[in-house]
Amino acid sequence: MAFSADELRVLRRALANALRPTPLPDEDVQDCLRLASSLDEAVGEAGRLRAFLLADLVRYRDALPGSVARYLELLQDALAAGYDPRPEDLAALRTQRGRPVAAALLERCHVLAERSVRARLAGRAVPTTAPAPRSRLLALPGGRAATTEPEKPKTPARPVPPSERPAPKPSEVFPPRRRPVPPSQQRAAG
């Protein structure tokens, strides 16, 4: 996630205020609230993108063996992002273990799955890459004066159905393609 210069200034002011609490002007409080809202939106978008990519992985897994190259590529990307391999992934990799990439991924998935099972049996939570829900930023220490009335909670907005959400751009959904390395040219002696 990248911050703009304005967002960094807001973040710097908020951190400075956290270290040395002083009353904040309303404009700074509003800037902090806007930044928190932007972060919430970015986290939500990341969650939707992750769900889309995992659905894509399932779709390619279901289309095996015809989609083996793309499935292996998506699985590698998902594992790098912290995906916990499912039993279906292990079964799909076992059918493709004749391929060197699939065999290496199968070994890696076995290690990850075993680690996950051991952690669950030990009663520890398995770390996931899904972001933890964050509570809304409602007040900043030293922000608004204590004499003002607290705002009444707004009625929750209706959830936006999937048909009304803007469609993501292809560049947001699909990672850049890796260009295939051309085989080395060999000259025929003759």
Side-chain angles (χ1 to χ4, degrees), residues 50 53-54 74-84 108 128-130:
R50 185 174 194 274
L53 293 176
L54 291 179
L74 283 173
L75 184 59
Q76 284 177 330
D77 293 342
L79 291 174
Y83 173 69
D84 197 17
R108 183 176 172 195
T128 62
T129 57

Side-chain angles (χ1 to χ4, degrees), residues 8 15 57 89 171 185:
L8 284 175
L15 290 173
L57 180 68
D89 295 312
S171 62
Q185 300 287 335

